[in-house]
Amino acid sequence: MRYAPEHNDATRERILEAASRLFQEHGIAAVGLAKVMAEAGLTVGTFYTHFESKEALLQEALLRSLDARHEALVQTLPGADLERVVRAYLSPEHRDASGTGCPVAALASEVARHPRATRHTFSSHNAPTLDALAAWLSSRRGKKVGRADAAALLGLLAGTLQLARAAPDRAESDAILEAGVRAAIRLAT
Amino acid sequence: MRYAPEHNDATRERILEAASRLFQEHGIAAVGLAKVMAEAGLTVGTFYTHFESKEALLQEALLRSLDARHEALVQTLPGADLERVVRAYLSPEHRDASGTGCPVAALASEVARHPRATRHTFSSHNAPTLDALAAWLSSRRGKKVGRADAAALLGLLAGTLQLARAAPDRAESDAILEAGVRAAIRLAT
DNA sequence: ATTATCTATAGATCTATAGATAATGC
DNA sequence: ATTATCTATAGATCTATAGATAATGC
């Protein structure tokens, strides 16, 4: 149809948005391309006009989610209150909205099983967040904190959020979030 | 065939062992029943003689893995050196053997998307480990540490292991493990 | 006689491709 | 004229079931 150039981009963006959300909410293997395309208001046939494969879609979806998360973080991070940042991550709202939440908590363990290229995309687009976290921690603590140390803090946050999501009992899940907040503050102070 | 009673149990055990390993290594959704049965030396047709559904198999596989992990932990935990315990968890060996490793690190985020009954199995068979960890931490720190606090420590360990598994670069992955060890010791002391 | 296992298959879904259709730019 | 979209389909795989076969206990 040779639509206006922005039409194609807009469609691509819609597919990516749907994919990011569905992958994070239900898992990568559990979401078919037909479902992604339907969510974007299209049929499966069009998929390969926009992406080379499901793996290529995944890489772009991860990149998108991670970059968006990073942008949101650097907006709030400078001068932010530690407890506020941690409580935002380990909140019941974040727990209950995995589709639009942290890609690390939602997908890290599944991405670990994907090809190196996908892991590289994940890792390299998570790195800016780790660096921002490390710089923030460094200035708070008054001594150098490295990227890997930031990864341990993010690991604590994401791992605890996963346990809270897996808990079938609401009160127990809330208690895990609360304990995670205490632990993260303790670790970051 | 009405085999000896132990034959049936042995077959069931073989299926469960294969399922536990394959689920943890490749993810639940990514592993079909045909693959599990083939790994156990059987064909798909026999599956439903032993289990009601894939979900029922998953529940039993989780239960098995979690109980086994718990048994191994309580053997080594009393009087164990903190750093040694943490280093065993965040070791390159554990990172590279997800199939036989910690079910929390391998499957928590995927289990979180499964039915309540499955989450309940996961949570209730993880609880003894959390209680043992909490008791150990309590005696080490000389003050009461709750189950949720133990969950935060396990969250740190599992989340960090996931990030190390997702990292495409070996050196970076090792650095994450090392930072995780420092963080876990800091948190548990 | 019982029952664990096998082969075979139903029916749904998966990723990916082929070819027709239609909406736009030139 | 170009190309994004559609319908249709290939070929593989998924969970689950049906019915035949064969290995055991009584």
Side-chain angles (χ1 to χ4, degrees):
Chain A
M1 307 180 188
R2 201 194 296 173
Y3 292 96
E6 66 268 23
H7 178 274
N8 211 335
D9 292 354
T11 302
R12 206 185 145 81
E13 195 57 29
R14 239 167 47 238
I15 297 171
L16 281 170
E17 190 280 324
S20 294
R21 191 161 36 79
L22 291 171
F23 286 161
Q24 290 194 189
E25 201 164 325
H26 303 108
I28 301 156
V31 174
L33 297 177
K35 190 156 207 169
V36 172
M37 294 307 279
E39 200 81 358
L42 297 162
T43 58
V44 221
T46 320
F47 176 77
Y48 294 89
T49 317
H50 294 280
F51 299 94
E52 204 188 280
S53 63
K54 187 185 182 181
E55 200 66 32
L57 169 68
L58 169 61
Q59 288 173 20
E60 291 224 48
L62 287 171
L63 177 162
R64 212 192 92 106
S65 293
L66 289 163
D67 288 359
R69 275 254 132 191
H70 178 65
E71 288 310 316
L73 187 70
V74 292
Q75 293 290 324
T76 62
L77 213 54
D81 178 51
L82 170 62
E83 179 163 352
R84 188 181 285 275
V85 171
V86 168
R87 278 200 186 278
Y89 192 101
L90 292 174
S91 65
E93 292 73 27
H94 189 191
R95 176 194 59 200
D96 299 336
S98 66
T100 53
C102 174
V104 172
L107 298 177
S109 65
E110 193 166 5
V111 166
R113 296 159 182 139
H114 277 253
R116 166 171 284 268
T118 303
R119 301 204 313 278
H120 182 262
T121 298
F122 182 80
S123 178
S124 62
H125 286 264
N126 191 39
T129 291
L130 294 179
D131 288 338
L133 258 183
W136 186 60
L137 287 175
S138 296
S139 77
R140 284 183 46 86
R141 286 210 218 158
K143 68 169 195 174
K144 174 75 176 154
V145 172
R147 182 190 286 181
D149 296 302
L153 175 58
L154 183 57
L156 164 61
L157 294 171
T160 304
L161 190 61
Q162 288 174 9
L163 285 171
R165 282 176 177 161
D169 180 69
R170 176 82 186 217
E172 196 190 317
S173 179
D174 289 348
I176 293 170
L177 292 178
E178 202 57 44
V181 169
R182 289 194 300 272
I185 289 173
R186 193 179 152 96
L187 191 63
T189 306
Chain B
M1 306 180 192
R2 200 193 298 174
Y3 292 96
E6 66 268 23
H7 178 274
N8 211 337
D9 292 354
T11 302
R12 206 186 146 81
E13 196 56 28
R14 238 166 49 237
I15 297 170
L16 282 169
E17 190 281 323
S20 294
R21 190 161 36 80
L22 291 171
F23 287 161
Q24 291 194 189
E25 200 163 327
H26 304 108
I28 302 155
V31 174
L33 296 177
K35 190 159 206 167
V36 172
M37 295 305 281
E39 201 82 357
L42 298 163
T43 57
V44 220
T46 318
F47 177 77
Y48 293 89
T49 317
H50 294 280
F51 299 95
E52 203 187 282
S53 63
K54 186 184 182 182
E55 200 66 33
L57 169 68
L58 169 60
Q59 288 173 20
E60 291 224 47
L62 287 171
L63 177 163
R64 211 191 93 104
S65 292
L66 289 163
D67 287 358
R69 276 253 133 194
H70 179 67
E71 287 311 314
L73 187 69
V74 292
Q75 293 291 323
T76 63
L77 213 54
D81 177 52
L82 171 62
E83 179 163 353
R84 188 181 285 274
V85 171
V86 168
R87 277 198 188 280
Y89 192 101
L90 292 174
S91 64
E93 292 73 28
H94 189 191
R95 175 194 60 199
D96 299 336
S98 65
T100 53
C102 174
V104 173
L107 297 177
S109 65
E110 193 167 5
V111 166
R113 297 160 181 137
H114 276 254
R116 165 172 285 268
T118 303
R119 302 204 313 278
H120 182 262
T121 298
F122 182 81
S123 179
S124 62
H125 286 264
N126 191 39
T129 292
L130 294 179
D131 288 338
L133 258 182
W136 186 59
L137 287 175
S138 297
S139 77
R140 284 183 47 84
R141 286 210 219 159
K143 66 168 195 172
K144 174 76 177 155
V145 172
R147 183 190 285 181
D149 296 301
L153 175 57
L154 183 56
L156 165 61
L157 294 171
T160 304
L161 190 61
Q162 288 175 9
L163 285 171
R165 282 176 178 161
D169 180 69
R170 174 83 188 214
E172 197 190 315
S173 179
D174 289 348
I176 292 170
L177 293 178
E178 201 57 45
V181 169
R182 289 194 300 273
I185 289 173
R186 195 180 151 95
L187 191 62
T189 306

